[in-house]
Amino acid sequence: MVDLLSQLEAQDTAKRTILHALKSNRVHHAYLFAGPDGVGKELAAQGLAQALVCDKRGTSENGGLFGMSEPRWTACGECSACLRAMPRDEERRPMHPDVVVLERGLYAPEAIGRRTPETQDLSIDQVRTLVLARAAYAPHEGRAKVFIIRRAEELSVSAANALLKTLEEPGPRTHFILLTSQPESLLPTILSRTLRVRFAPLPDDLVTKLLEASGVAPARAHEVARLSAGSAATGAMLADPAESEARETFVARALAAVDAGALDAALALAEDAKKDKDKDRLQAFIGALGAALALRASDAAKKHLPNAEALAARGRIALSALGHLAANGAPQLVVEAMIARMRAT
């Protein structure tokens, strides 16, 4: 039996909110699950969707004190609907026709009526194809229809605006769950139409346990958990040897480009950023650069070196670059501007 909500750990407040909504049969039509990446937002969304489409939710079984048990308000985890509501690892989306996942780049361009891939944002084409074209119809199997939007901060302005009317007046038994680590990046009109559920960073011991369960050696898992800022996703990235080497290479190249006499190294780094389509990876790289600069600034300040303030300023520039990237800035331009500003500091 796989009841996804039962697997949600260290998010007692969020879990209590979801379970109360299910038990009272007052599930909101549009939720905003907000919190850091890798803390359980998506698991909670999948669990809520699974419960909403479960064939047995709300039914009772024999065996209680008076012959019947209390009605079930969470997913049974066993029926066909529950099993199909779980995402398939290889495709990151479920087979159930009433549980629809939206995410930048999740679908081939031709599947959503585009000519080019979604490299910068979640397009209006995806919203039109997956949401607006289905919004007027009842759930395919009758229980509920659930739209899960990953990284909702990546919705283009046109896509977000296209969602507004449906968010405000959804069809019967239709629910939206928007996931974001940057709620401040969403349009105010989106925020006003959703009920926010907050997710907190995970404790280090839980991140350690999750990393160990994925095969990371205990000592390494403990070390990485302390640097993960409560995110299992960040912990997994930090624990990956290949990713660690790639991050260190990026930091070394960036620092060399800042100090180089010519711009060739900076332009090459920016060109590589353009080629890498994984924005999350670039965010991790720039974050590592910012952390490296902050550490250097701290060491320089302790030794009363004259470059301490310049190093700190460069660290702040890296943080600013992260903000521009999160706001859908073009990776190549973000990296070029970041290095140029650091060189001028």
Side-chain angles (χ1 to χ4, degrees):
M1 183 173 80
V2 184
D3 168 16
L4 295 177
L5 275 178
S6 69
Q7 299 179 354
L8 184 64
E9 298 185 71
Q11 298 293 353
D12 295 345
T13 301
K15 189 172 182 178
R16 190 161 51 245
T17 299
I18 295 168
L19 292 177
H20 177 73
L22 288 168
K23 188 171 184 178
S24 63
N25 206 27
R26 297 181 65 181
V27 179
H28 201 267
H29 69 276
Y31 286 102
L32 179 67
F33 285 5
D37 290 330
V39 299
K41 300 190 305 294
E42 181 153 354
L43 178 61
Q46 293 167 354
L48 176 55
Q50 185 188 43
L52 288 170
V53 301
C54 173
D55 292 332
K56 295 183 180 180
R57 190 174 76 87
T59 63
S60 302
E61 298 178 356
N62 293 328
L65 181 62
F66 299 102
M68 296 294 288
S69 63
E70 287 291 318
R72 169 180 291 279
W73 298 111
T74 57
C76 71
E78 298 176 336
C79 68
S80 172
C82 279
L83 297 176
R84 287 179 292 127
M86 294 188 293
R88 294 172 291 178
D89 290 340
E90 66 275 11
E91 295 188 9
R92 302 192 67 231
R93 56 183 189 263
M95 294 178 63
H96 198 293
D98 292 324
V99 181
V100 182
V101 175
L102 286 78
E103 180 184 21
R104 172 179 58 87
L106 183 61
Y107 301 91
E110 58 271 18
I112 54 174
R114 286 179 61 86
R115 294 181 179 179
T116 58
E118 299 169 303
T119 57
Q120 294 299 315
D121 51 34
L122 198 164
S123 70
I124 190 174
D125 304 291
Q126 191 169 154
V127 171
R128 283 171 175 161
T129 302
L130 300 180
V131 179
L132 302 186
R134 309 180 187 205
Y137 300 97
H140 185 78
E141 296 189 5
R143 299 287 293 184
K145 182 164 49 180
V146 187
F147 296 95
I148 299 173
I149 304 180
R150 296 186 181 122
R151 296 189 183 90
E153 69 275 6
E154 293 186 348
L155 283 162
S156 68
V157 173
S158 58
N161 284 328
L163 270 178
L164 289 178
K165 184 172 178 58
T166 307
L167 281 177
E168 190 171 24
E169 300 176 3
R173 305 187 304 282
T174 298
H175 304 272
F176 289 85
I177 310 172
L178 282 66
L179 312 180
T180 185
S181 60
Q182 301 167 35
E184 68 283 353
S185 298
L186 296 176
L187 294 179
T189 45
I190 292 287
L191 295 175
S192 68
R193 287 165 171 77
T194 54
L195 179 64
R196 187 178 303 198
V197 179
R198 291 176 171 82
F199 287 74
L202 303 177
D204 288 353
D205 59 348
L206 178 55
V207 176
T208 300
K209 185 181 80 170
L210 294 173
L211 290 173
E212 290 180 2
S214 68
V216 179
R220 177 63 174 162
H222 178 72
E223 175 189 355
V224 164
R226 292 173 52 246
L227 304 172
S228 69
S231 167
T234 299
M237 187 178 295
L238 291 172
D240 187 317
E243 285 301 305
S244 294
E245 182 179 352
R247 275 194 311 277
E248 291 170 5
T249 299
F250 178 90
V251 170
R253 290 180 64 193
L255 293 175
V258 171
D259 294 333
L263 289 173
D264 295 357
L267 296 175
L269 189 67
E271 182 64 27
D272 288 346
K274 177 184 178 181
K275 294 175 182 176
D276 190 343
K277 302 301 183 183
D278 190 341
K279 190 197 299 187
D280 293 337
R281 195 164 183 255
L282 181 57
Q283 286 178 325
F285 288 179
I286 295 177
L289 174 61
L293 287 164
L295 183 59
R296 290 188 176 198
S298 177
D299 290 342
K302 290 175 183 177
K303 297 175 182 177
H304 304 288
L305 297 177
N307 65 337
E309 179 54 38
L311 289 169
R314 289 172 179 176
R316 291 192 292 270
I317 290 170
L319 293 178
S320 176
L322 283 176
H324 290 300
L325 196 62
N328 289 330
Q332 181 178 14
L333 297 179
V334 168
V335 172
E336 282 183 10
M338 177 184 71
I339 299 298
R341 290 182 62 198
M342 287 182 182
R343 286 169 61 89
T345 301

